[in-house]
C-alpha cells in the first residue's frame, strides 16, 4: 500500500523560505515520477513541480520557476520542495503525488492532477505578514 506523508508547512513572511517533505512508504520513489501540487479553497488543484524517475531534472510551473526546487533523497525515500522568495499567492495546501506506473508521464499529462494516482493528505503553507 502506497502512503505519502507531507510535512514542513507553516506560516512564513513574504520573502521567506520553507522546505516541504514527503515521506513515502510502499514504493521506492526513485523508480517513479513524483510531483507537488497545491490547492486553495474553491480552486482546482494546481501543478507546482515534478521530477521524473531516472534523472534529477525538475519541471516547474511558471509561477514558481526560479524560486522553488524539487528534489528527492533516495536513501530516505523522501521527496522535497524547497520554496524560496515566498509570496502571499503561494499560500495553499500543498500535496505530494506519485505516478501510478513506472513509466514517466509525458509533459502534457504531468501537469494534470487527475492523472496522478497516489496522494498525501497535504500540508498547509501560509505566506503573510
Amino acid at each position: 500500500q502506497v502512503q505519502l506523508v507531507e510535512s514542513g508547512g507553516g506560516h512564513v513572511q513574504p520573502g521567506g523560505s520553507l522546505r516541504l517533505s514527503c515521506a513515502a512508504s510502499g514504493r521506492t520513489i526513485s523508480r517513479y515520477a513524483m510531483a507537488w501540487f497545491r490547492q486553495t479553497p474553491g480552486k482546482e488543484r494546481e501543478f507546482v513541480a515534478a521530477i521524473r524517475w531516472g534523472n534529477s531534472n525538475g519541471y516547474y510551473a511558471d509561477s514558481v520557476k526560479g524560486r522553488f526546487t524539487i528534489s528527492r533523497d533516495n536513501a530516505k525515500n523522501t521527496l522535497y520542495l524547497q520554496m524560496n522568495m515566498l509570496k502571499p499567492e503561494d499560500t495553499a495546501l500543498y500535496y505530494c503525488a506519485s505516478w501510478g506506473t513506472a513509466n514517466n508521464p509525458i509533459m502534457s499529462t504531468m501537469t494534470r492532477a487527475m492523472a496522478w494516482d497516489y496522494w498525501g493528505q497535504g500540508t498547509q503553507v501560509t505566506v503573510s505578514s
Side-chain angles (χ1 to χ4, degrees), residues 52-67:
R52 294 177 170 182
W53 74 267
N55 64 66
S56 59
N57 295 332
Y59 301 85
Y60 301 93
D62 288 342
S63 59
V64 306
K65 203 171 293 183
R67 300 187 298 122

Side-chain angles (χ1 to χ4, degrees), residues 23-80:
S25 59
R27 67 171 30 187
T28 302
I29 66 169
S30 62
R31 299 177 183 174
Y32 295 89
M34 301 290 294
W36 290 95
F37 284 77
R38 65 188 182 187
Q39 190 170 23
T40 54
K43 293 190 176 181
E44 293 187 356
R45 201 163 292 189
E46 174 191 28
F47 172 78
V48 175
I51 186 168
R52 294 177 170 182
W53 74 267
N55 64 66
S56 59
N57 295 332
Y59 301 85
Y60 301 93
D62 288 342
S63 59
V64 306
K65 203 171 293 183
R67 300 187 298 122
F68 290 12
T69 303
I70 188 171
S71 64
R72 58 175 170 238
D73 185 327
N74 294 336
K76 295 182 178 180
N77 210 35
T78 299
L79 180 74
Y80 299 102

Side-chain angles (χ1 to χ4, degrees), residues 1 10 14 23-24 39-41 63 67 72 81-82 86 96 107 116 119 126:
Q1 181 179 357
Q39 190 170 23
T40 54
S63 59
R67 300 187 298 122
R72 58 175 170 238
L81 184 68
Q82 178 66 45
L86 282 161
C96 169
M107 288 301 293
W116 294 79
W119 294 88
T126 302

